[in-house]
Amino acid sequence: MGIYTKHLPSIITTIIAIIILDQLTKLYVASYPLNTTIFNFAFFKIKYVLNTGAAFSFLTGFNELLKFIVPFAVILLFILLHNYKNNTILRYAFSMQIAGAIGNLIDRFTMNGVIDFIGVGWWPLFNIADSSISIGLTLLIIDLIFKRNKKNE
């Protein structure tokens, strides 16, 4: 059976929920002027910036290239999701990465950059989509570690 069986509801729900949360938070932040600090307390802040690069402002100014590359990454992630649909951890890992990539891709086309706004300590500003991608990658690493440990037993 394909991906379009018992796992489809959880996959779709995960992807849509993350995209909606990401876009709603960005919509709220974008109601303020660009580069405005909305909230600042100790090591945590909310500041509206527009990132024209990749994660954590890496490749700044390459928004047009990323508009071209990210859809291919999303397609690859859907292929991986299909291939590992029976692995719960990987199913959520890839779903979260897909949702984050799509959330940021929406910004790239509508804002000509990605809205970042969450600041924690010295870490570069990020958003819900970035968090989703990072959590998805963490789940992928956890799955790899568990598989390696099982092989060594």
Side-chain angles (χ1 to χ4, degrees):
M1 288 283 168
I3 192 173
Y4 307 104
T5 57
K6 64 180 179 178
H7 301 300
L8 189 60
S10 66
I11 291 167
I12 290 175
T13 301
T14 300
I15 292 171
I16 290 175
I18 292 169
I19 292 171
I20 289 171
L21 180 61
D22 175 63
Q23 291 300 301
L24 286 176
T25 56
K26 290 173 179 175
L27 185 65
Y28 171 74
V29 169
S31 69
Y32 289 86
L34 188 61
N35 296 317
T36 297
T37 299
I38 300 163
F39 177 81
N40 193 359
F41 180 74
F43 65 91
F44 181 77
K45 69 180 171 187
I46 303 291
K47 181 179 180 178
Y48 172 30
V49 299
L50 195 62
N51 176 2
T52 60
F56 312 117
S57 298
F58 178 69
L59 296 175
T60 297
F62 285 86
N63 190 57
E64 294 305 313
L65 177 63
L66 291 166
K67 283 181 188 178
F68 178 75
I69 292 172
V70 171
F72 290 106
V74 170
I75 291 168
L76 175 62
L77 287 167
F78 269 112
I79 292 168
L80 290 167
L81 176 59
H82 175 73
N83 291 338
Y84 294 97
K85 65 187 171 292
N86 293 321
N87 179 318
T88 303
I89 293 175
L90 292 182
R91 190 169 57 247
Y92 283 101
F94 294 132
S95 294
M96 294 181 81
Q97 291 173 56
I98 289 166
I102 291 172
N104 282 341
L105 191 61
I106 290 169
D107 288 10
R108 291 193 187 288
F109 282 100
T110 60
M111 302 291 295
N112 232 11
V114 174
I115 296 173
D116 285 336
F117 59 93
I118 302 169
V120 180
W122 51 267
W123 202 256
L125 295 175
F126 58 95
N127 58 46
I128 301 297
D130 296 335
S131 298
S132 182
I133 293 168
S134 296
I135 293 167
L137 287 171
T138 302
L139 290 173
L140 181 65
I141 292 167
I142 289 169
D143 185 74
L144 290 171
I145 290 170
F146 280 129
K147 282 184 179 165
R148 177 165 287 170
N149 287 341
K150 283 184 181 180
K151 285 182 181 179
N152 291 335
E153 289 180 353

Coordinates of all heavy atoms in Angstrom, one line a residue, residues 52-55 58-59 61-78 97-98 101-102 104-105 108-109:
T52 N 16.6 37.1 3.6 CA 16.6 36.7 2.2 C 17.5 35.6 1.9 O 17.8 35.2 0.8 CB 17.0 37.9 1.3 OG1 18.3 38.4 1.7 CG2 16.0 39.1 1.4
G53 N 18.0 34.9 3.0 CA 18.9 33.8 2.8 C 18.2 32.5 3.3 O 17.0 32.4 3.4
A54 N 19.1 31.6 3.7 CA 18.6 30.3 4.2 C 18.6 30.3 5.7 O 18.6 31.4 6.3 CB 19.5 29.1 3.6
A55 N 18.6 29.2 6.3 CA 18.5 29.1 7.8 C 19.6 30.0 8.5 O 20.7 30.0 8.1 CB 18.6 27.7 8.2
F58 N 22.1 32.3 6.6 CA 23.1 31.7 5.7 C 22.7 31.9 4.3 O 21.5 31.8 4.0 CB 23.3 30.2 6.0 CG 24.3 29.5 5.2 CD1 25.6 29.8 5.3 CD2 23.9 28.6 4.3 CE1 26.6 29.2 4.5 CE2 24.8 27.9 3.5 CZ 26.1 28.2 3.6
L59 N 23.6 32.2 3.4 CA 23.3 32.5 2.0 C 22.4 33.8 1.8 O 21.5 33.8 0.9 CB 22.6 31.3 1.3 CG 23.5 30.1 1.2 CD1 22.6 29.0 0.5 CD2 24.7 30.3 0.3
G61 N 20.7 37.0 0.6 CA 20.6 37.5 -0.7 C 20.4 36.5 -1.8 O 20.3 36.9 -3.0
F62 N 20.2 35.3 -1.5 CA 20.0 34.2 -2.5 C 18.5 33.8 -2.5 O 18.2 32.6 -2.8 CB 20.9 33.0 -2.2 CG 22.3 33.3 -2.6 CD1 23.2 33.9 -1.7 CD2 22.8 32.9 -3.9 CE1 24.5 34.1 -2.1 CE2 24.1 33.1 -4.2 CZ 25.0 33.8 -3.3
N63 N 17.6 34.7 -2.2 CA 16.2 34.3 -2.2 C 15.7 33.7 -3.5 O 15.0 32.7 -3.5 CB 15.4 35.6 -1.9 CG 13.9 35.2 -1.6 OD1 13.6 34.4 -0.7 ND2 13.0 35.8 -2.3
E64 N 16.1 34.3 -4.7 CA 15.7 33.8 -6.0 C 16.2 32.4 -6.2 O 15.4 31.5 -6.7 CB 16.1 34.8 -7.1 CG 15.4 36.1 -7.0 CD 13.9 36.1 -7.0 OE1 13.3 35.3 -7.8 OE2 13.3 36.8 -6.2
L65 N 17.4 32.1 -5.9 CA 17.9 30.8 -6.0 C 17.2 29.8 -5.1 O 16.8 28.7 -5.5 CB 19.4 30.7 -5.7 CG 20.1 29.4 -5.7 CD1 20.1 28.8 -7.2 CD2 21.5 29.5 -5.3
L66 N 16.9 30.2 -3.9 CA 16.2 29.3 -2.9 C 14.8 29.1 -3.4 O 14.2 28.0 -3.1 CB 16.3 29.9 -1.5 CG 17.7 29.9 -0.9 CD1 17.7 30.8 0.3 CD2 18.1 28.5 -0.6
K67 N 14.1 30.0 -4.1 CA 12.8 29.8 -4.6 C 12.8 28.7 -5.6 O 11.8 27.9 -5.8 CB 12.3 31.1 -5.4 CG 11.8 32.1 -4.5 CD 11.3 33.3 -5.4 CE 11.0 34.5 -4.6 NZ 10.5 35.6 -5.5
F68 N 13.9 28.5 -6.3 CA 14.1 27.4 -7.3 C 14.5 26.1 -6.7 O 13.9 25.0 -7.1 CB 15.1 27.9 -8.3 CG 15.4 26.8 -9.4 CD1 14.5 26.6 -10.4 CD2 16.6 26.1 -9.3 CE1 14.8 25.7 -11.4 CE2 16.9 25.1 -10.3 CZ 16.0 24.9 -11.3
I69 N 15.3 26.1 -5.7 CA 15.9 24.9 -5.1 C 14.9 24.2 -4.1 O 14.8 23.0 -4.1 CB 17.2 25.2 -4.4 CG1 18.3 25.5 -5.4 CG2 17.7 24.0 -3.5 CD1 19.6 26.0 -4.8
V70 N 14.2 25.0 -3.3 CA 13.4 24.5 -2.2 C 12.3 23.6 -2.7 O 12.0 22.5 -2.1 CB 12.9 25.6 -1.3 CG1 11.8 25.1 -0.3 CG2 14.0 26.3 -0.5
P71 N 11.6 23.9 -3.8 CA 10.6 23.0 -4.3 C 11.1 21.6 -4.6 O 10.5 20.6 -4.3 CB 10.0 23.6 -5.6 CG 10.2 25.1 -5.3 CD 11.6 25.2 -4.6
F72 N 12.4 21.5 -5.1 CA 13.0 20.2 -5.4 C 13.3 19.5 -4.0 O 13.1 18.2 -3.9 CB 14.3 20.3 -6.2 CG 14.0 20.7 -7.6 CD1 14.3 22.0 -8.0 CD2 13.5 19.8 -8.5 CE1 14.0 22.4 -9.3 CE2 13.2 20.2 -9.8 CZ 13.5 21.5 -10.2
A73 N 13.7 20.2 -3.0 CA 13.9 19.6 -1.7 C 12.6 19.1 -1.1 O 12.6 18.0 -0.5 CB 14.5 20.6 -0.8
V74 N 11.5 19.8 -1.3 CA 10.2 19.3 -0.9 C 9.8 18.1 -1.6 O 9.3 17.1 -0.9 CB 9.1 20.4 -1.0 CG1 7.7 19.9 -0.7 CG2 9.4 21.6 -0.1
I75 N 10.0 18.0 -2.9 CA 9.7 16.8 -3.6 C 10.5 15.6 -3.1 O 10.0 14.5 -2.9 CB 9.9 17.0 -5.1 CG1 8.9 18.0 -5.7 CG2 9.9 15.7 -5.9 CD1 9.2 18.5 -7.1
L76 N 11.8 15.8 -2.9 CA 12.7 14.8 -2.3 C 12.2 14.3 -1.0 O 12.1 13.1 -0.7 CB 14.1 15.3 -2.2 CG 15.1 14.3 -1.6 CD1 15.2 13.0 -2.4 CD2 16.5 15.0 -1.4
L77 N 11.8 15.3 -0.1 CA 11.2 14.9 1.2 C 10.0 14.1 1.1 O 9.7 13.2 1.9 CB 11.0 16.2 2.0 CG 12.3 16.8 2.6 CD1 12.0 18.2 3.1 CD2 13.0 16.0 3.6
F78 N 9.1 14.4 0.1 CA 7.9 13.6 -0.1 C 8.2 12.2 -0.5 O 7.6 11.2 -0.1 CB 6.9 14.3 -1.1 CG 5.9 15.2 -0.5 CD1 6.0 16.6 -0.7 CD2 4.9 14.7 0.3 CE1 5.1 17.4 -0.2 CE2 4.0 15.6 0.9 CZ 4.0 16.9 0.6
Q97 N 9.7 18.6 8.3 CA 10.6 19.3 7.4 C 9.9 19.8 6.1 O 10.1 20.9 5.7 CB 11.7 18.3 7.0 CG 12.7 18.0 8.1 CD 13.7 16.9 7.7 OE1 14.4 17.1 6.8 NE2 13.7 15.8 8.5
I98 N 8.9 19.0 5.6 CA 8.1 19.5 4.5 C 7.3 20.7 4.9 O 7.3 21.7 4.1 CB 7.2 18.3 4.0 CG1 8.0 17.2 3.3 CG2 6.1 18.9 3.1 CD1 7.2 15.9 3.1
A101 N 9.6 23.8 5.2 CA 10.1 24.2 3.9 C 8.9 24.9 3.2 O 9.2 26.0 2.5 CB 10.6 23.0 3.1
I102 N 7.7 24.4 3.2 CA 6.6 25.0 2.5 C 6.3 26.4 3.2 O 6.0 27.4 2.5 CB 5.4 24.1 2.5 CG1 5.7 22.9 1.5 CG2 4.1 24.9 2.0 CD1 4.6 21.8 1.6
N104 N 8.2 28.4 4.8 CA 9.2 29.5 4.4 C 9.1 29.8 2.9 O 9.4 30.9 2.5 CB 10.6 29.0 4.8 CG 10.9 29.2 6.3 OD1 10.2 30.0 6.9 ND2 11.9 28.5 6.8
L105 N 8.8 28.8 2.1 CA 8.7 29.0 0.6 C 7.5 30.0 0.3 O 7.6 30.8 -0.5 CB 8.4 27.7 -0.1 CG 8.5 27.7 -1.6 CD1 9.9 28.2 -2.1 CD2 8.3 26.3 -2.2
R108 N 8.9 33.3 0.8 CA 9.8 33.7 -0.3 C 9.1 34.2 -1.5 O 9.6 35.2 -2.1 CB 10.7 32.5 -0.7 CG 11.6 32.1 0.3 CD 12.7 31.1 -0.2 NE 13.5 30.6 0.9 CZ 14.4 31.4 1.6 NH1 14.6 32.6 1.2 NH2 15.0 30.9 2.6
F109 N 7.9 33.7 -1.8 CA 7.2 34.2 -3.0 C 6.3 35.4 -2.6 O 6.1 36.2 -3.5 CB 6.3 33.0 -3.5 CG 7.1 32.1 -4.4 CD1 7.5 30.9 -3.9 CD2 7.4 32.4 -5.7 CE1 8.3 30.0 -4.7 CE2 8.2 31.6 -6.5 CZ 8.6 30.4 -6.0

